[in-house]
Amino acid sequence: MSSNVSMDLMSINEEGSSFTSRGFPESLNNPISDYEHNVPPSECISDSFDSDPVQKFAGLGLEITSAVIGNVISHPCIVIRRQCQVNRKATRYHLSPFTLIPVLMRLHSRQGFSCLWKGCSGIFILRGCSTVLETFLAEVTPFPREVSSNSSLKQLSQHLLLKLIAYGVLTPFYCASLVETVQSDIASEKPGVLDCLKEGVCRLFKLGTPRSTRLLPMWQLIGPSALFGLSTYVLSSLIQSILNWFRNMKLRNMHRRQSIEQPSSQNSAVNYIDNLSILHFSSFLANVVLYPAETMIHRLYLQGTRTIIDDLDSGTTVLPVISTYEGIFDCFHTIVEEEGASGLYKGFGGLLMEYALQALILKVAQLVFCEIESLFKPNKKPFSEHAA
């Protein structure tokens, strides 16, 4: 759920450009667009002319890097985190990533490397469905799919309503995707590529094999699910807008101190990394704040599905998921009473591990692309030589 939402956690750029639903700001198509707003025209023309091929290369490479981070590297952390969240009987809460490392090693030795990437195809399909649904709603309604800082309050409200509808409609498929992600490979059949869609339809219309009486009706899940998705989107957008504002103010102050004779050393790779870092950090803070809500939503999704998960207390056994929550409020009170307030944060170490890996990869990418850019970008002669 969080990984899908995290691809939708777009913000409004303070310079007026909107963020696309893919997860990349439109300004990433031109990595120094924000920077150029505050640079003298002569520098903009010169820099963009000299380094345009390098900018395109850096942009493509960093988009691929971000896709790898979100869809490959982070997925094992998502699998582990979700399994911890839905296990109400777990005695080890794994609030730190260090306690998860031996469990991951035991899972790998017992089930193989692929057990940490289960449900990955379903998440890809769900993201595609989200994009298609939002595009369809934007075509048949006056609701805008994207907004900017220049949008009116009415357009912003309509945009948020579009998001709310999309999250609500896709709730059955979120449930099916969660099952695929947490079910144990040694106790369940591996799902097919399109099983996420099939199971979502069956969940919506109560089709297929008989299900437990503990299974919550979909109308009880749509409201909390849509509100959770929208809250994550809005909170991440606000954080991202604030960080962009501080970054732009920093750039303005930096350029005021510089003269035309002393061009900025800021390069396109750094600008790409800054944008991606702000995007991921905003998503991280939103996930931290709303982590208890995610835990409750996931438990409600899984209730009554007869799912068997890996026991992450040991990493060597499996156990069924059994709960009797009556709704979101009963889920909250039951968790606090039975597991303590920290029960809402089970698997939090997986979240820390996920974003620590992202930060590490972004740092490595920054070093690599800065080095590549310095190799391909021609050296500029000192200003004094041009003057002579």
Side-chain angles (χ1 to χ4, degrees):
M1 175 71 174
S2 66
S3 63
N4 175 66
V5 171
S6 68
M7 296 296 290
D8 278 335
L9 300 181
M10 302 303 99
S11 169
I12 300 170
N13 191 334
E14 290 298 314
E15 295 297 326
S17 62
S18 61
F19 285 74
T20 66
S21 62
R22 290 188 307 150
F24 301 101
E26 291 179 346
S27 60
L28 286 185
N29 295 322
N30 180 4
I32 58 172
S33 60
D34 290 338
Y35 169 66
E36 289 179 359
H37 285 306
N38 308 297
V39 183
S42 60
E43 277 190 52
C44 295
I45 295 173
S46 174
D47 286 348
S48 62
F49 178 81
D50 290 340
S51 61
D52 183 67
V54 180
Q55 294 170 20
K56 291 180 180 179
F57 173 78
L60 177 61
L62 286 168
E63 286 201 18
I64 294 174
T65 300
S66 184
V68 169
I69 291 173
N71 303 322
V72 181
I73 303 299
S74 299
H75 192 76
C77 302
I78 294 170
V79 170
I80 293 298
R81 184 178 81 239
R82 291 180 174 183
Q83 285 189 323
C84 291
Q85 285 179 314
V86 299
N87 186 0
R88 61 188 293 261
K89 295 183 178 180
T91 57
R92 302 183 67 183
Y93 289 9
H94 295 299
L95 303 179
S96 164
F98 301 107
T99 62
L100 287 169
I101 295 175
V103 176
L104 289 172
M105 295 176 62
R106 284 192 287 268
L107 281 176
H108 173 263
S109 62
R110 183 176 175 82
Q111 300 184 30
F113 202 60
S114 62
C115 72
L116 298 176
W117 272 270
K118 53 193 173 188
C120 195
S121 61
I123 289 179
F124 278 124
I125 292 174
L126 196 54
R127 289 173 182 168
C129 291
S130 177
T131 301
V132 171
L133 178 59
E134 288 184 12
T135 303
F136 173 76
L137 291 175
E139 292 293 330
V140 300
T141 67
F143 303 160
R145 187 164 178 261
E146 298 173 4
V147 291
S148 72
S149 57
N150 298 322
S151 301
S152 65
L153 182 60
K154 179 180 179 181
Q155 289 174 322
L156 180 59
S157 301
Q158 290 175 336
H159 172 71
L160 295 179
L161 182 58
L162 180 145
K163 289 285 185 182
L164 188 69
I165 294 172
Y167 289 132
V169 171
L170 292 175
T171 297
F173 305 98
Y174 290 146
C175 298
S177 176
L178 178 65
V179 173
E180 289 186 359
T181 307
V182 301
Q183 66 184 358
S184 175
D185 281 349
I186 60 176
S188 310
E189 294 183 2
K190 292 188 177 181
V193 176
L194 298 179
D195 279 3
C196 177
L197 296 178
K198 183 182 72 174
E199 291 298 323
V201 173
C202 291
R203 180 75 184 267
L204 179 62
F205 296 105
K206 299 180 180 180
L207 303 175
T209 57
R211 300 179 183 266
S212 169
T213 56
R214 297 188 302 273
L215 190 73
L216 291 175
M218 193 53 57
W219 63 266
Q220 277 189 267
L221 297 177
I222 288 177
S225 179
L227 287 175
F228 169 73
L230 186 66
S231 299
T232 308
Y233 175 81
V234 170
L235 182 57
S236 177
S237 298
L238 289 174
I239 296 171
Q240 191 170 349
S241 295
I242 293 171
L243 294 177
N244 276 321
W245 183 83
F246 278 111
R247 177 171 176 263
N248 291 329
M249 289 296 295
K250 181 180 178 181
L251 287 175
R252 290 190 187 99
N253 293 333
M254 180 180 66
H255 297 320
R256 289 193 188 102
R257 294 192 299 266
Q258 293 174 340
S259 61
I260 298 178
E261 291 82 3
Q262 295 175 327
S264 172
S265 61
Q266 187 94 352
N267 56 48
S268 58
V270 172
N271 280 277
Y272 272 98
I273 294 293
D274 285 348
N275 282 320
L276 289 177
S277 298
I278 288 175
L279 177 66
H280 287 286
F281 187 67
S282 303
S283 174
F284 170 68
L285 290 182
N287 278 307
V288 169
V289 173
L290 297 173
Y291 194 88
E294 183 185 64
T295 299
M296 292 184 289
I297 290 291
H298 284 171
R299 292 200 181 188
L300 295 179
Y301 281 174
L302 217 60
Q303 179 169 300
T305 57
R306 298 176 177 174
T307 302
I308 297 176
I309 64 173
D310 297 308
D311 183 5
L312 297 188
D313 281 352
S314 62
T316 58
T317 59
V318 297
L319 72 162
V321 176
I322 301 175
S323 61
T324 56
Y325 305 121
E326 297 179 359
I328 190 73
F329 297 107
D330 179 61
C331 181
F332 173 79
H333 291 298
T334 304
I335 291 175
V336 172
E337 289 177 3
E338 294 182 354
E339 305 165 54
S342 57
L344 296 167
Y345 290 90
K346 279 185 174 179
F348 190 73
L351 184 70
L352 297 178
M353 183 184 294
E354 175 185 348
Y355 283 94
L357 286 174
Q358 292 182 9
L360 176 62
I361 294 173
L362 284 174
K363 186 61 178 179
V364 172
Q366 179 181 2
L367 297 175
V368 170
F369 284 106
C370 284
E371 188 66 26
I372 292 175
E373 189 172 38
S374 66
L375 291 175
F376 284 95
K377 190 172 182 179
N379 294 326
K380 294 185 179 181
K381 295 181 179 180
F383 180 79
S384 59
E385 293 186 22
H386 289 291

